[in-house]
Amino acid sequence: MTLNAIDNSKENNELNVDCFQNLGLTDLKIINEKKKQVKFFKDETVFKQGAFAPHVLFVNQGLVRVYLQTNKNKQINIRLAKKGDLIAFSSIFGKDTYLYSAIALKDSNICIIDKQALKELLLRNPQFAMEINSKNCHNENRYIDIIQNISYKQMRGKLASALLYLSSERFIDDNVYEYLTRQNIADFASISVESAVKFIKEFEKEGIICLDGKRITITDIKVLEEINRRG
């Protein structure tokens, strides 16, 4: 992990999310002493799959692509992490190495938190633990979608699922397509980039999506949802 720029100012080092703000002063002091704010530049690796995992990471600003390296030339994009998201949360529960990799899609400010300190806060603060877990529960549905895509869906269904995820309300303010290549989109769909380009053009001709440079806008979400449902 390359620590390009550590900023310890109060403004930039703040864990700016409700569940942290509700901690007591003593616990806030502990977590403040056990974290560092790091700036990662666009396309910089945040952490690498298989590396030792002493930290949980919190995205203060920016956008991070989380992916699984399945072999030398193959990746599966798991999810995008945006402001307010935790990454590598599983390291708290006995995982000594990172289960996946993460890369900054744009310049991002990330709080690196000592996992043992965060674990102790979770054990002492049930309400805090519930709020943290609730922020992470949406990932479970995403992982189920990935398994379904790989297991039984045809390529059009896989791409439909990826586009629905990337165009969801969760990312409406992030302009995610500005930072994604067609290869990235293909890796979210678990198909080849050639197939992704082909079916994106097909969806455009069918009036399902609209293309404007790199931006993709869904114009007929019901049809896309049906393609996703049929697989």
Side-chain angles (χ1 to χ4, degrees):
M1 181 182 296
T2 302
L3 303 186
N4 279 317
I6 297 178
D7 185 345
N8 291 314
S9 70
K10 180 178 179 182
E11 178 182 7
N12 290 327
N13 209 24
E14 184 181 7
L15 289 168
N16 187 23
V17 66
D18 288 345
C19 55
F20 284 100
Q21 298 308 302
N22 291 333
L23 288 173
L25 291 178
T26 300
D27 286 335
L28 279 175
K29 181 178 179 181
I30 292 172
I31 202 69
N32 278 326
E33 291 174 349
K34 295 294 184 177
K35 67 179 175 62
K36 290 291 184 181
Q37 175 90 347
V38 180
K39 182 170 184 177
F40 291 88
F41 297 111
K42 183 179 183 296
D43 296 328
E44 185 176 8
T45 297
V46 177
F47 58 80
K48 181 76 172 175
Q49 181 177 329
F52 284 115
H55 304 110
V56 176
L57 296 92
F58 174 82
V59 182
N60 241 344
Q61 294 287 342
L63 193 65
V64 176
R65 176 170 62 90
V66 178
Y67 65 93
L68 186 68
Q69 192 80 41
T70 56
N71 61 44
K72 183 178 180 180
N73 299 309
K74 177 66 175 175
Q75 298 177 359
I76 298 175
N77 285 334
I78 300 173
R79 66 185 180 103
L80 295 179
K82 55 176 289 184
K83 179 179 179 180
D85 286 343
L86 288 162
I87 319 175
F89 189 66
S90 61
S91 68
I92 292 179
F93 306 103
K95 300 298 182 182
D96 294 328
T97 60
Y98 292 116
L99 302 179
Y100 41 71
S101 298
I103 188 169
L105 287 177
K106 61 179 179 178
D107 291 355
S108 300
N109 293 326
I110 297 176
C111 271
I112 300 178
I113 308 169
D114 178 80
K115 68 178 183 182
Q116 188 58 39
L118 184 56
K119 182 178 182 178
E120 290 172 4
L121 287 187
L122 292 170
L123 291 173
R124 287 204 306 272
N125 298 272
Q127 182 61 36
F128 173 65
M130 285 293 294
E131 291 174 354
I132 288 289
N133 284 323
S134 70
K135 288 184 66 65
N136 285 282
C137 69
H138 67 271
N139 294 330
E140 183 174 341
N141 290 332
R142 172 63 189 157
Y143 300 150
I144 291 173
D145 286 343
I146 292 172
I147 294 169
Q148 290 177 332
N149 288 347
I150 295 173
S151 299
Y152 75 86
K153 286 185 180 179
Q154 302 298 317
M155 285 188 287
R156 277 172 63 93
K158 290 179 179 181
L159 180 60
S161 177
L163 294 180
L164 287 168
Y165 170 71
L166 295 171
S167 302
S168 63
E169 185 176 350
R170 170 173 163 73
F171 303 118
I172 196 167
D173 296 323
D174 292 288
N175 300 319
V176 296
Y177 290 109
E178 177 183 344
Y179 308 102
L180 296 172
T181 65
R182 290 300 189 250
Q183 181 67 65
N184 293 153
I185 295 173
D187 290 340
F188 271 106
S190 299
I191 61 178
S192 69
V193 66
E194 294 82 7
S195 296
V197 171
K198 173 187 173 183
F199 291 120
I200 285 172
K201 290 180 178 177
E202 283 189 7
F203 288 169
E204 181 187 29
K205 290 179 181 178
E206 294 167 15
I208 300 171
I209 63 174
C210 178
L211 301 181
D212 180 13
K214 294 181 68 176
R215 182 184 293 273
I216 298 174
T217 303
I218 298 174
T219 52
D220 197 333
I221 192 169
K222 289 184 178 180
V223 172
L224 196 63
E225 288 173 339
E226 179 62 19
I227 293 171
N228 174 52
R229 188 188 65 78
R230 293 201 311 264

